[in-house]
Amino acid sequence: MSIANKITRILDYLKRPEKTSHFAKERLQIIIAHERGMRDKPDYLTALQRDLVDVIAKYVAIDKEAVKVDLERKEGFSVLELNVTLPDGL
Amino acid sequence: MKEQTVTKIIVITSGKGGVGKTTTSASFAVGLASRGFKTAVIDFDIGLRNLDLIMGCERRVVYDFVNVIRGEANLNQALIRDKHIKDLFILPASQTRDKDALTLEGVSTVLDELSKTFDYIVCDSPAGIERGAQLAMYFADSAIVVTNPEVSSVRDSDRMLGLLSSKTRRAEEGREPLTEHLLLTRYSPKRVARGDMLSLSDVNEILAIPLLGVIPESQAVLRASNSGDPVILDKESDAGQAYMDAVGRFLGENIPHRFIEEKGNWLKRLLNFKEKETV
Ligand SMILES: Nc1ncnc2c1ncn2[C@@H]1O[C@H](COP(=O)(O)OP(=O)(O)O)[C@@H](O)[C@H]1O
Ligand SMILES: [Mg+2]
Protein backbone atom coordinates (compact mmCIF):
# COMPACT_ATOMS: atom_id res chain seq x y z
CA MET A 1 0.00 0.00 0.00
CA SER A 2 1.35 3.42 -0.93
CA ILE A 3 1.80 6.17 1.62
CA ALA A 4 -0.90 8.27 -0.04
CA ASN A 5 -3.25 5.33 0.15
CA LYS A 6 -2.56 4.86 3.82
CA ILE A 7 -3.14 8.51 4.53
CA THR A 8 -6.47 8.44 2.72
CA ARG A 9 -7.53 5.46 4.77
CA ILE A 10 -6.60 7.18 8.01
CA LEU A 11 -8.47 10.30 6.93
CA ASP A 12 -11.51 8.20 5.99
CA TYR A 13 -11.41 6.61 9.39
CA LEU A 14 -11.39 9.98 11.13
CA LYS A 15 -14.13 11.48 8.96
CA ARG A 16 -17.56 11.90 10.51
CA PRO A 17 -20.09 9.55 8.93
CA GLU A 18 -22.65 11.22 6.70
CA LYS A 19 -25.74 12.64 8.38
CA THR A 20 -28.78 10.52 7.65
CA SER A 21 -31.66 11.80 9.76
CA HIS A 22 -32.94 14.09 7.01
CA PHE A 23 -33.36 11.04 4.75
CA ALA A 24 -35.49 9.47 7.46
CA LYS A 25 -37.66 12.54 7.69
CA GLU A 26 -38.17 12.94 3.94
CA ARG A 27 -38.96 9.28 3.40
CA LEU A 28 -41.42 9.26 6.29
CA GLN A 29 -43.21 12.37 5.07
CA ILE A 30 -43.76 10.79 1.65
CA ILE A 31 -44.86 7.34 2.78
CA ILE A 32 -47.08 8.63 5.56
CA ALA A 33 -48.84 11.12 3.28
CA HIS A 34 -49.51 8.25 0.88
CA GLU A 35 -50.75 5.92 3.61
CA ARG A 36 -53.00 8.56 5.12
CA GLY A 37 -54.59 8.97 1.72
CA MET A 38 -55.34 5.25 1.60
CA ARG A 39 -56.43 5.06 5.24
CA ASP A 40 -60.19 4.89 4.88
CA LYS A 41 -60.23 3.25 1.50
CA PRO A 42 -61.24 -0.40 1.10
CA ASP A 43 -58.46 -2.87 0.29
CA TYR A 44 -59.99 -3.81 -3.08
CA LEU A 45 -59.30 -0.37 -4.52
CA THR A 46 -55.71 -1.20 -5.51
CA ALA A 47 -56.79 -4.48 -7.14
CA LEU A 48 -59.63 -2.72 -8.96
CA GLN A 49 -57.24 -0.11 -10.28
CA ARG A 50 -54.86 -2.81 -11.57
CA ASP A 51 -57.69 -4.66 -13.35
CA LEU A 52 -58.98 -1.46 -14.93
CA VAL A 53 -55.52 -0.67 -16.28
CA ASP A 54 -55.36 -4.15 -17.84
CA VAL A 55 -58.76 -3.79 -19.51
CA ILE A 56 -58.10 -0.33 -20.92
CA ALA A 57 -54.62 -1.34 -22.08
CA LYS A 58 -56.25 -3.90 -24.38
CA TYR A 59 -57.65 -1.06 -26.46
CA VAL A 60 -55.41 1.93 -25.84
CA ALA A 61 -51.72 2.14 -25.04
CA ILE A 62 -51.73 3.75 -21.60
CA ASP A 63 -49.31 3.61 -18.74
CA LYS A 64 -50.09 2.46 -15.22
CA GLU A 65 -50.15 5.94 -13.77
CA ALA A 66 -52.85 7.05 -16.20
CA VAL A 67 -55.67 5.42 -14.26
CA LYS A 68 -56.75 6.91 -10.95
CA VAL A 69 -59.42 5.26 -8.86
CA ASP A 70 -60.88 6.98 -5.85
CA LEU A 71 -63.71 6.31 -3.47
CA GLU A 72 -65.39 9.20 -1.74
CA ARG A 73 -67.76 8.65 1.11
CA LYS A 74 -70.89 10.81 1.28
CA GLU A 75 -73.90 10.73 3.60
CA GLY A 76 -75.50 7.34 3.00
CA PHE A 77 -73.57 6.42 -0.17
CA SER A 78 -70.13 6.39 -1.77
CA VAL A 79 -68.92 7.67 -5.12
CA LEU A 80 -66.42 5.66 -7.12
CA GLU A 81 -64.44 8.08 -9.21
CA LEU A 82 -62.51 6.89 -12.22
CA ASN A 83 -60.04 9.12 -14.01
CA VAL A 84 -58.29 7.92 -17.14
CA THR A 85 -55.77 10.06 -18.95
CA LEU A 86 -55.53 8.94 -22.58
CA PRO A 87 -52.48 9.69 -24.70
CA ASP A 88 -52.62 12.38 -27.39
CA GLY A 89 -53.85 11.74 -30.95
CA LEU A 90 -56.86 9.56 -30.23
CA MET B 1 -53.91 16.71 44.62
CA LYS B 2 -56.76 14.51 43.57
CA GLU B 3 -60.08 15.48 42.03
CA GLN B 4 -61.02 12.75 39.61
CA THR B 5 -64.59 11.45 39.61
CA VAL B 6 -65.29 9.71 36.29
CA THR B 7 -62.97 6.78 35.58
CA LYS B 8 -60.53 7.43 32.76
CA ILE B 9 -59.23 4.60 30.60
CA ILE B 10 -55.78 5.19 29.09
CA VAL B 11 -54.25 2.96 26.41
CA ILE B 12 -50.48 2.82 25.97
CA THR B 13 -50.01 1.83 22.35
CA SER B 14 -47.49 1.98 19.49
CA GLY B 15 -47.96 -0.63 16.78
CA LYS B 16 -44.29 -1.54 16.83
CA GLY B 17 -42.88 -3.80 19.55
CA GLY B 18 -40.02 -3.02 21.88
CA VAL B 19 -40.47 0.75 21.89
CA GLY B 20 -41.26 1.12 25.60
CA LYS B 21 -45.00 0.52 26.07
CA THR B 22 -44.65 -1.73 29.10
CA THR B 23 -41.97 0.50 30.64
CA THR B 24 -44.33 3.46 30.13
CA SER B 25 -47.43 1.64 31.43
CA ALA B 26 -45.64 0.68 34.64
CA SER B 27 -44.22 4.16 35.29
CA PHE B 28 -47.42 5.94 34.37
CA ALA B 29 -49.49 3.74 36.65
CA VAL B 30 -47.08 4.32 39.53
CA GLY B 31 -47.06 8.07 38.80
CA LEU B 32 -50.86 8.36 38.83
CA ALA B 33 -51.27 6.22 41.94
CA SER B 34 -48.56 8.11 43.82
CA ARG B 35 -50.61 11.26 43.32
CA GLY B 36 -53.48 9.63 45.13
CA PHE B 37 -55.51 8.29 42.22
CA LYS B 38 -56.74 4.73 42.60
CA THR B 39 -55.16 3.11 39.56
CA ALA B 40 -55.30 -0.29 37.88
CA VAL B 41 -52.83 -1.33 35.21
CA ILE B 42 -53.81 -4.16 32.88
CA ASP B 43 -51.47 -6.29 30.76
CA PHE B 44 -53.23 -6.95 27.43
CA ASP B 45 -50.27 -8.86 26.00
CA ILE B 46 -51.88 -12.29 26.23
CA GLY B 47 -49.32 -15.09 25.90
CA LEU B 48 -46.39 -12.73 26.53
CA ARG B 49 -46.98 -11.56 30.09
CA ASN B 50 -44.26 -9.08 31.14
CA LEU B 51 -45.81 -6.20 33.04
CA ASP B 52 -45.65 -8.35 36.19
CA LEU B 53 -41.84 -8.50 35.89
CA ILE B 54 -41.47 -4.78 35.29
CA MET B 55 -43.73 -4.10 38.31
CA GLY B 56 -41.86 -6.69 40.39
CA CYS B 57 -44.90 -8.82 41.25
CA GLU B 58 -44.28 -11.90 39.08
CA ARG B 59 -44.14 -14.27 42.06
CA ARG B 60 -47.54 -13.16 43.28
CA VAL B 61 -49.53 -13.92 40.12
CA VAL B 62 -52.22 -16.49 40.90
CA TYR B 63 -55.10 -15.62 38.61
CA ASP B 64 -55.03 -13.46 35.48
CA PHE B 65 -57.12 -11.36 33.11
CA VAL B 66 -58.36 -14.39 31.12
CA ASN B 67 -59.31 -16.30 34.29
CA VAL B 68 -61.55 -13.36 35.20
CA ILE B 69 -63.08 -13.17 31.73
CA ARG B 70 -63.83 -16.89 31.78
CA GLY B 71 -65.34 -16.68 35.26
CA GLU B 72 -62.62 -18.90 36.78
CA ALA B 73 -61.74 -16.22 39.32
CA ASN B 74 -63.26 -12.95 40.39
CA LEU B 75 -61.59 -9.63 39.82
CA ASN B 76 -60.50 -9.18 43.43
CA GLN B 77 -58.71 -12.51 43.39
CA ALA B 78 -56.80 -11.60 40.24
CA LEU B 79 -55.82 -8.02 41.10
CA ILE B 80 -52.37 -7.77 42.67
CA ARG B 81 -51.71 -4.97 45.13
CA ASP B 82 -48.53 -3.09 44.27
CA LYS B 83 -45.70 -3.38 46.75
CA HIS B 84 -44.75 0.30 46.62
CA ILE B 85 -47.90 2.34 46.26
CA LYS B 86 -51.11 1.90 48.22
CA ASP B 87 -53.67 2.70 45.54
CA LEU B 88 -52.13 0.71 42.71
CA PHE B 89 -53.27 -2.69 41.42
CA ILE B 90 -51.99 -4.90 38.61
CA LEU B 91 -54.08 -7.25 36.48
CA PRO B 92 -51.62 -9.64 34.82
CA ALA B 93 -51.99 -11.13 31.34
CA SER B 94 -52.61 -14.80 30.90
CA GLN B 95 -49.90 -17.01 29.42
CA THR B 96 -52.40 -18.96 27.31
CA ARG B 97 -51.66 -19.54 23.63
CA ASP B 98 -55.34 -19.20 22.78
CA LYS B 99 -55.40 -15.95 20.84
CA ASP B 100 -59.18 -15.72 21.12
CA ALA B 101 -59.03 -15.66 24.92
CA LEU B 102 -59.87 -11.97 25.04
CA THR B 103 -63.41 -11.10 23.98
CA LEU B 104 -65.06 -7.72 23.59
CA GLU B 105 -67.75 -8.61 26.15
CA GLY B 106 -65.16 -9.99 28.56
CA VAL B 107 -62.97 -6.90 28.39
CA SER B 108 -66.03 -4.67 28.63
CA THR B 109 -67.25 -6.46 31.78
CA VAL B 110 -63.86 -6.22 33.50
CA LEU B 111 -63.45 -2.52 32.64
CA ASP B 112 -67.00 -1.76 33.83
CA GLU B 113 -66.36 -3.43 37.13
CA LEU B 114 -63.01 -1.66 37.61
CA SER B 115 -64.69 1.64 36.73
CA LYS B 116 -66.86 1.37 39.84
CA THR B 117 -63.90 1.89 42.15
CA PHE B 118 -60.86 3.06 40.15
CA ASP B 119 -59.94 6.57 38.97
CA TYR B 120 -57.58 5.47 36.22
CA ILE B 121 -57.25 2.26 34.23
CA VAL B 122 -53.99 1.97 32.27
CA CYS B 123 -54.07 -0.58 29.42
CA ASP B 124 -50.67 -1.89 28.31
CA SER B 125 -51.23 -2.83 24.66
CA PRO B 126 -49.42 -5.64 22.87
CA ALA B 127 -47.54 -4.82 19.67
CA GLY B 128 -49.22 -5.24 16.30
CA ILE B 129 -52.75 -4.42 15.13
CA GLU B 130 -54.41 -7.72 16.00
CA ARG B 131 -57.19 -8.44 18.47
CA GLY B 132 -55.22 -7.75 21.68
CA ALA B 133 -54.10 -4.33 20.48
CA GLN B 134 -57.57 -3.44 19.19
CA LEU B 135 -59.25 -4.48 22.44
CA ALA B 136 -56.70 -2.55 24.50
CA MET B 137 -57.66 0.67 22.66
CA TYR B 138 -61.37 0.03 22.11
CA PHE B 139 -62.72 1.52 25.36
CA ALA B 140 -60.04 4.18 25.83
CA ASP B 141 -60.65 7.84 26.68
CA SER B 142 -57.00 8.76 26.11
CA ALA B 143 -54.23 7.20 24.09
CA ILE B 144 -50.53 7.58 24.76
CA VAL B 145 -48.73 6.75 21.53
CA VAL B 146 -45.22 5.57 22.41
CA THR B 147 -42.79 6.31 19.58
CA ASN B 148 -39.04 5.93 19.10
CA PRO B 149 -37.20 8.42 16.86
CA GLU B 150 -36.80 5.85 14.13
CA VAL B 151 -38.53 5.31 10.77
CA SER B 152 -40.48 2.11 11.40
CA SER B 153 -41.70 3.23 14.81
CA VAL B 154 -42.94 6.59 13.48
CA ARG B 155 -44.71 4.95 10.56
CA ASP B 156 -46.39 2.40 12.83
CA SER B 157 -47.46 5.15 15.21
CA ASP B 158 -49.18 6.93 12.35
CA ARG B 159 -50.95 3.71 11.47
CA MET B 160 -52.14 3.41 15.08
CA LEU B 161 -53.45 6.98 14.96
CA GLY B 162 -55.58 5.89 12.00
CA LEU B 163 -57.00 2.99 14.01
CA LEU B 164 -57.54 5.17 17.09
CA SER B 165 -59.69 7.50 15.04
CA SER B 166 -61.89 4.74 13.62
CA LYS B 167 -61.72 1.51 15.63
CA THR B 168 -62.65 2.64 19.12
CA ARG B 169 -65.97 2.75 20.90
CA ARG B 170 -65.88 6.54 20.95
CA ALA B 171 -65.40 6.60 17.18
CA GLU B 172 -68.08 4.00 16.51
CA GLU B 173 -70.62 5.75 18.72
CA GLY B 174 -69.75 9.10 17.16
CA ARG B 175 -68.79 10.53 20.54
CA GLU B 176 -66.07 13.04 21.20
CA PRO B 177 -62.82 11.41 20.00
CA LEU B 178 -60.28 10.16 22.52
CA THR B 179 -57.38 12.46 23.38
CA GLU B 180 -54.10 11.54 21.71
CA HIS B 181 -50.69 12.11 23.29
CA LEU B 182 -47.26 11.56 21.80
CA LEU B 183 -44.58 10.14 24.09
CA LEU B 184 -41.21 10.08 22.38
CA THR B 185 -39.02 7.52 24.14
CA ARG B 186 -35.43 6.29 23.91
CA TYR B 187 -34.44 9.74 22.72
CA SER B 188 -30.78 10.58 22.43
CA PRO B 189 -30.12 14.34 22.05
CA LYS B 190 -26.50 13.54 21.30
CA ARG B 191 -27.36 11.40 18.30
CA VAL B 192 -29.86 13.99 17.14
CA ALA B 193 -27.16 16.65 17.28
CA ARG B 194 -24.91 14.38 15.25
CA GLY B 195 -27.61 14.05 12.60
CA ASP B 196 -28.04 10.32 13.18
CA MET B 197 -31.47 10.41 14.73
CA LEU B 198 -34.82 12.01 13.92
CA SER B 199 -35.30 15.04 16.15
CA LEU B 200 -38.21 15.83 18.41
CA SER B 201 -39.41 18.49 15.98
CA ASP B 202 -39.13 16.06 13.03
CA VAL B 203 -41.36 13.49 14.75
CA ASN B 204 -43.71 16.16 16.03
CA GLU B 205 -44.10 17.61 12.57
CA ILE B 206 -44.80 14.22 10.98
CA LEU B 207 -47.25 12.83 13.53
CA ALA B 208 -48.86 16.15 14.44
CA ILE B 209 -50.41 15.22 17.80
CA PRO B 210 -49.80 16.98 21.13
CA LEU B 211 -46.48 16.10 22.78
CA LEU B 212 -46.79 14.63 26.26
CA GLY B 213 -43.09 14.16 26.86
CA VAL B 214 -39.69 12.97 25.81
CA ILE B 215 -38.08 10.06 27.69
CA PRO B 216 -34.33 9.91 27.13
CA GLU B 217 -32.50 6.71 26.30
CA SER B 218 -31.28 5.81 29.78
CA GLN B 219 -29.39 3.09 31.56
CA ALA B 220 -31.73 3.58 34.50
CA VAL B 221 -34.47 1.74 32.54
CA LEU B 222 -32.57 -1.53 32.40
CA ARG B 223 -31.61 -1.22 36.05
CA ALA B 224 -35.26 -0.63 36.92
CA SER B 225 -36.41 -3.71 35.06
CA ASN B 226 -33.63 -5.78 36.62
CA SER B 227 -34.96 -5.00 40.07
CA GLY B 228 -38.67 -4.85 39.25
CA ASP B 229 -39.12 -1.25 40.40
CA PRO B 230 -40.60 0.96 37.66
CA VAL B 231 -38.08 3.60 36.59
CA ILE B 232 -40.29 6.48 37.75
CA LEU B 233 -39.40 5.42 41.31
CA ASP B 234 -35.74 6.19 40.54
CA LYS B 235 -36.11 9.88 41.30
CA GLU B 236 -32.45 10.61 40.60
CA SER B 237 -32.55 9.26 37.08
CA ASP B 238 -33.25 11.25 33.92
CA ALA B 239 -35.83 8.75 32.65
CA GLY B 240 -37.55 8.65 36.04
CA GLN B 241 -37.82 12.43 36.15
CA ALA B 242 -39.00 12.56 32.54
CA TYR B 243 -41.81 10.10 33.35
CA MET B 244 -42.76 12.11 36.44
CA ASP B 245 -42.99 15.26 34.28
CA ALA B 246 -45.09 13.43 31.68
CA VAL B 247 -47.58 12.28 34.33
CA GLY B 248 -47.82 15.85 35.59
CA ARG B 249 -48.50 17.15 32.09
CA PHE B 250 -51.10 14.43 31.56
CA LEU B 251 -52.88 15.76 34.65
CA GLY B 252 -52.87 19.23 33.14
CA GLU B 253 -49.82 20.76 34.78
CA ASN B 254 -47.64 23.09 32.79
CA ILE B 255 -44.16 21.57 32.97
CA PRO B 256 -41.39 22.55 30.54
CA HIS B 257 -39.78 19.75 28.53
CA ARG B 258 -36.38 18.51 29.70
CA PHE B 259 -33.75 16.10 28.40
CA ILE B 260 -34.21 17.26 24.82
CA GLU B 261 -30.95 19.16 24.45
CA GLU B 262 -27.47 17.76 24.25
CA LYS B 263 -25.68 17.80 27.59
CA GLY B 264 -23.12 20.55 28.32
CA ASN B 265 -19.52 20.49 27.11
CA TRP B 266 -16.99 17.75 27.78
CA LEU B 267 -15.60 19.48 30.86
CA LYS B 268 -19.01 19.71 32.49
CA ARG B 269 -19.64 16.11 31.57
CA LEU B 270 -16.37 15.04 33.10
CA LEU B 271 -17.24 16.76 36.34
CA ASN B 272 -20.74 15.34 36.50
CA PHE B 273 -20.54 11.55 36.60
CA LYS B 274 -24.27 11.02 36.61
CA GLU B 275 -24.57 12.67 33.24
CA LYS B 276 -22.26 10.10 31.77
CA GLU B 277 -24.97 7.51 32.10
CA THR B 278 -27.12 8.67 29.23
CA VAL B 279 -26.17 7.07 25.96
N1 LIG C 1 -35.97 5.15 27.82
C1 LIG C 1 -35.36 3.97 27.65
N2 LIG C 1 -34.00 3.88 27.71
C2 LIG C 1 -33.37 2.70 27.54
N3 LIG C 1 -34.00 1.54 27.32
C3 LIG C 1 -35.35 1.55 27.25
C4 LIG C 1 -36.10 2.75 27.41
N4 LIG C 1 -37.42 2.45 27.29
C5 LIG C 1 -37.49 1.11 27.07
N5 LIG C 1 -36.26 0.56 27.05
C6 LIG C 1 -35.91 -0.86 26.83
O1 LIG C 1 -36.49 -1.27 25.62
C7 LIG C 1 -36.95 -2.59 25.71
C8 LIG C 1 -38.41 -2.69 25.33
O2 LIG C 1 -39.18 -2.00 26.30
P1 LIG C 1 -40.69 -2.41 26.62
O3 LIG C 1 -41.23 -1.41 27.58
O4 LIG C 1 -40.78 -3.85 27.02
O5 LIG C 1 -41.35 -2.21 25.18
P2 LIG C 1 -42.74 -2.74 24.58
O6 LIG C 1 -43.65 -2.98 25.74
O7 LIG C 1 -43.18 -1.60 23.71
O8 LIG C 1 -42.44 -3.96 23.80
C9 LIG C 1 -36.67 -3.06 27.12
O9 LIG C 1 -35.48 -3.79 27.11
C10 LIG C 1 -36.50 -1.77 27.89
O10 LIG C 1 -35.65 -1.92 28.98
MG1 LIG D 1 -44.87 -4.72 26.21
Side-chain angles (χ1 to χ4, degrees):
Chain A
M1 206 191 290
S2 73
I3 300 275
N5 221 323
K6 267 187 191 155
I7 291 172
T8 334
R9 287 200 36 187
I10 291 168
L11 285 179
D12 271 354
Y13 179 78
L14 293 174
K15 208 169 63 191
R16 299 256 331 99
E18 203 192 341
K19 295 189 174 185
T20 52
S21 63
H22 62 283
F23 294 130
K25 185 180 181 187
E26 284 160 22
R27 291 172 58 222
L28 275 170
Q29 281 172 323
I30 293 167
I31 191 65
I32 285 179
H34 172 74
E35 286 178 346
R36 281 183 188 162
M38 296 301 291
R39 199 175 264 178
D40 305 314
K41 307 284 189 289
D43 289 343
Y44 65 72
L45 222 56
T46 331
L48 179 66
Q49 174 158 358
R50 195 187 49 226
D51 287 355
L52 284 169
V53 172
D54 289 348
V55 171
I56 296 167
K58 275 207 233 168
Y59 302 91
V60 192
I62 52 162
D63 75 85
K64 272 193 292 219
E65 300 299 307
V67 177
K68 290 254 181 303
V69 181
D70 205 8
L71 195 69
E72 203 185 329
R73 237 162 267 190
K74 306 254 161 118
E75 284 295 301
F77 63 96
S78 299
V79 178
L80 180 70
E81 202 181 282
L82 181 63
N83 254 300
V84 186
T85 316
L86 295 179
D88 260 354
L90 282 166
Chain B
M1 192 181 205
K2 163 186 170 168
E3 44 178 272
Q4 172 92 359
T5 44
V6 192
T7 309
K8 258 195 145 191
I9 302 176
I10 308 169
V11 63
I12 314 291
T13 188
S14 72
K16 189 169 155 64
V19 296
K21 289 181 295 298
T22 301
T23 306
T24 299
S25 300
S27 280
F28 238 77
V30 168
L32 291 168
S34 64
R35 284 166 174 258
F37 295 108
K38 192 167 179 193
T39 304
V41 55
I42 308 179
D43 190 347
F44 273 78
D45 206 343
I46 305 302
L48 291 169
R49 174 198 293 163
N50 269 326
L51 182 68
D52 57 338
L53 272 178
I54 303 304
M55 303 282 305
C57 65
E58 70 280 3
R59 303 274 304 272
R60 290 191 287 143
V61 176
V62 183
Y63 295 110
D64 59 55
F65 196 7
V66 171
N67 290 139
V68 178
I69 287 177
R70 290 189 178 143
E72 295 155 0
N74 65 40
L75 196 49
N76 285 328
Q77 290 174 297
L79 284 174
I80 303 170
R81 182 184 285 275
D82 184 68
K83 60 181 178 189
H84 303 282
I85 317 276
K86 186 166 94 343
D87 283 324
L88 178 58
F89 291 82
I90 300 117
L91 183 57
S94 146
Q95 289 289 44
T96 176
R97 275 180 293 173
D98 172 11
K99 58 178 171 48
D100 297 328
L102 287 187
T103 59
L104 189 67
E105 306 87 278
V107 173
S108 170
T109 310
V110 169
L111 292 179
D112 279 347
E113 202 172 329
L114 287 171
S115 297
K116 288 180 195 155
T117 45
F118 284 87
D119 296 313
Y120 283 103
I121 303 171
V122 178
C123 303
D124 180 17
S125 174
I129 54 170
E130 302 285 302
R131 191 197 201 94
Q134 294 214 8
L135 285 173
M137 71 166 67
Y138 189 73
F139 298 96
D141 302 301
S142 302
I144 297 178
V145 179
V146 180
T147 307
N148 291 169
E150 175 269 326
V151 283
S152 42
S153 174
V154 174
R155 182 197 205 168
D156 288 1
S157 291
D158 193 70
R159 200 103 167 78
M160 292 323 275
L161 289 172
L163 294 178
L164 287 167
S165 65
S166 59
K167 297 275 195 287
T168 58
R169 183 166 66 172
R170 280 175 173 267
E172 284 175 6
E173 291 177 356
R175 281 157 58 203
E176 195 190 330
L178 50 65
T179 55
E180 298 163 338
H181 307 268
L182 172 65
L183 190 72
L184 191 57
T185 66
R186 310 203 66 165
Y187 194 68
S188 169
K190 199 162 141 195
R191 301 188 66 186
V192 171
R194 256 194 251 143
D196 286 346
M197 185 181 264
L198 284 165
S199 71
L200 166 60
S201 68
D202 291 342
V203 179
N204 229 345
E205 188 184 325
I206 294 167
L207 292 178
I209 58 168
L211 177 71
L212 184 62
V214 177
I215 312 296
E217 172 78 22
S218 165
Q219 300 193 6
V221 174
L222 185 59
R223 283 202 303 267
S225 51
N226 286 340
S227 52
D229 305 317
V231 71
I232 196 170
L233 293 165
D234 184 351
K235 297 200 166 63
E236 303 294 304
S237 70
D238 48 0
Q241 291 172 12
Y243 273 117
M244 201 57 107
D245 288 358
V247 171
R249 283 185 211 109
F250 185 83
L251 295 172
E253 291 161 24
N254 194 353
I255 303 170
H257 291 280
R258 296 194 271 170
F259 315 109
I260 53 179
E261 300 291 341
E262 200 184 359
K263 303 275 168 63
N265 62 32
W266 65 271
L267 188 66
K268 257 205 210 146
R269 231 176 293 163
L270 202 71
L271 295 172
N272 191 343
F273 288 101
K274 214 164 252 134
E275 291 201 327
K276 273 181 146 182
E277 289 199 354
T278 6
V279 182

